[in-house]
């Protein structure tokens, strides 16, 4: 792909990570690990792939995103702010009692949010409904849904996976953020739910596996998904929890803990160094 576009998307991903750290640090609570792991996916969706209009966020012809793993809201909010749905300064009000940016996304209060989420396991069911309606209305819009690998342990997820295939929802693409860690430890040790590829295929899905922190692979994966007709596609994204902040990477303790001021300063310094290096390339 065009190198300048690739560089810009990498910068956007880093800025999303920066916004997520700003928010969680200001709040003193939140979920940085799973937010940082999906920043590259969000950068591709909001700055390359999705058809959206910040001036008309409810436009019926828009593409939709359902962040099923709603606790990764800090990255979601950072992407929306970076895209222009609201001021970046709002990120520092995360989880304040009078802020629209609560611990999980609220579609009523936040411009650009397509579905309120937070209770794990329910987002794909909502995405199915959106995709089914769009298909029946013959709309040329696509629905994306981001699931967590720990979330894949929820029973409703598998009912929804069955439903997506039954209705041949080829206007639906799901990302599984496979960072391999959940709040209590390693996903495979708590309740092993892999291999995802074989299980999705058994339910009638098209499957693609990529490095979910690689911008080019994310774009290629989406392009491949959109060529498949008659079935939904899942993109299994191998990611690093805490990606982009050295002391958070692959550390389960950062699933739901906020950095203190000194730790946040180090995190932002590392991310700023990444942005600066990209800008001078």
């Amino acid at each position: 792909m065009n190198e300048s576009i690739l560089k810009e998307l990498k910068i956007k991903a880093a800025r999303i990570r920066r916004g997520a750290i700003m928010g969680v640090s200001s709040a003193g609570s939140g979920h940085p690990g799973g937010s940082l792991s999906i920043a590259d996916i969000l950068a591709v969706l909001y700055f390359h792939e999705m058809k959206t209009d910040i001036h008309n966020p409810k436009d019926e012809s828009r593409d939709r995103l359902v962040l099923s793993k709603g606790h990764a809201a800090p990255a979601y909010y950072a992407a929306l702010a970076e895209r222009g749905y609201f001021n970046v300064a709002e990120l520092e009000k995360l989880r304040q009692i009078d802020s629209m940016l609560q611990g999980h996304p609220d579609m009523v209060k936040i411009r650009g949010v397509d579905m309120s989420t937070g209770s794990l396991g329910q987002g794909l069911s909502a995405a199915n409904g959106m995709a089914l309606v769009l298909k029946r209305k013959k709309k040329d819009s696509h629905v994306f849904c981001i699931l967590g690998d720990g979330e894949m342990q929820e029973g409703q997820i598998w009912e929804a996976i069955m439903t997506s295939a039954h209705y041949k929802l080829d206007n639906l693409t799901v990302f599984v953020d496979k960072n391999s860690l959940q709040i209590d430890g390693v996903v495979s040790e708590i309740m092993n739910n892999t291999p995802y590829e074989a299980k999705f295929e058994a339910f009638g899905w098209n499957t693609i596996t990529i490095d979910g922190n690689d911008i080019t692979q994310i774009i290629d994966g989406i392009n491949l998904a959109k060529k498949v007709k008659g079935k939904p596609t899942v993109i299994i994204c191998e990611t690093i929890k805490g990606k982009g902040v050295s002391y958070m990477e692959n550390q389960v303790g950062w699933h739901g803990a906020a950095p203190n001021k000194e730790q946040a300063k180090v995190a932002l310094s590392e991310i700023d160094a990444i942005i600066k290096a990209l800008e001078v390339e």
Side-chain angles (χ1 to χ4, degrees):
M1 71 178 297
N2 183 297
E3 288 298 321
S4 65
I5 294 174
L6 178 59
K7 183 173 81 169
E8 186 60 28
L9 289 173
K10 288 180 178 178
I11 291 172
K12 291 296 185 187
R15 290 183 63 83
I16 289 169
R17 290 189 168 97
R18 194 180 202 289
I21 293 296
M22 282 173 52
V24 172
S25 174
S26 297
S29 63
H31 297 82
S35 294
L36 298 180
S37 65
I38 64 168
D40 303 286
I41 299 169
L42 291 170
V44 170
L45 289 177
Y46 278 102
F47 297 95
H48 185 74
E49 179 60 35
M50 286 178 63
K51 181 174 54 180
T52 59
D53 182 354
I54 63 170
H55 303 294
N56 186 14
K58 296 296 185 184
D59 181 6
E60 194 177 9
S61 66
R62 74 190 187 283
D63 292 335
R64 274 78 164 169
L65 171 64
V66 178
L67 179 65
S68 189
K69 44 172 281 179
H71 56 275
Y76 190 21
Y77 298 156
L80 292 172
E82 192 70 21
R83 182 69 180 85
Y85 284 99
F86 51 83
N87 195 302
V88 173
E90 289 291 320
L91 298 176
E92 295 189 288
K93 298 178 183 176
L94 177 68
R95 291 189 169 214
Q96 291 183 17
I97 194 166
D98 58 346
S99 171
M100 64 179 179
L101 304 182
Q102 289 303 303
H104 296 90
D106 184 332
M107 63 186 292
V108 175
K109 295 181 179 178
I110 309 172
R111 295 176 77 249
V113 170
D114 292 311
M115 185 68 204
S116 300
T117 54
S119 297
L120 293 176
Q122 300 180 4
L124 182 55
S125 296
N128 279 341
M130 294 177 185
L132 186 58
V133 169
L134 290 167
K135 186 174 263 298
R136 290 185 171 176
K137 287 186 174 181
K138 302 187 184 305
K139 296 290 185 182
D140 182 25
S141 300
H142 206 87
V143 180
F144 297 93
C145 180
I146 300 176
L147 305 175
D149 52 358
E151 182 183 19
M152 296 294 292
Q153 297 161 344
E154 300 280 349
Q156 187 176 327
I157 285 288
W158 298 97
E159 295 179 34
I161 288 170
M162 180 169 55
T163 302
S164 316
H166 176 80
Y167 288 105
K168 305 182 189 306
L169 298 179
D170 50 14
N171 59 342
L172 169 68
T173 298
V174 167
F175 300 91
V176 174
D177 177 30
K178 189 183 176 191
N179 61 41
S180 301
L181 297 174
Q182 60 187 106
I183 190 168
D184 292 322
V186 179
V187 173
S188 61
E189 294 176 355
I190 292 170
M191 181 63 72
N192 189 10
N193 52 23
T194 59
Y196 300 129
E197 291 84 350
K199 291 177 179 176
F200 272 95
E201 287 169 8
F203 276 85
W205 283 60
N206 177 52
T207 65
I208 299 168
T209 300
I210 64 168
D211 178 344
N213 294 131
D214 184 305
I215 297 286
T216 301
Q217 290 191 38
I218 297 167
I219 293 172
D220 290 346
I222 293 171
N223 289 337
L224 287 171
K226 286 192 164 182
K227 291 178 181 176
V228 173
K229 301 302 177 187
K231 60 172 68 175
T233 291
V234 59
I235 303 178
I236 312 298
C237 300
E238 304 273 2
T239 63
I240 295 174
K241 197 150 190 164
K243 174 71 176 177
V245 176
S246 60
Y247 63 84
M248 288 188 179
E249 290 192 355
N250 287 321
Q251 299 299 312
V252 69
W254 290 106
H255 175 93
N260 59 33
K261 288 185 179 179
E262 286 304 312
Q263 291 168 327
K265 186 176 179 181
V266 171
L268 294 175
S269 174
E270 290 184 3
I271 294 170
D272 286 344
I274 292 170
I275 294 173
K276 186 175 181 180
L278 287 165
E279 288 176 337
V280 299
E281 277 185 358

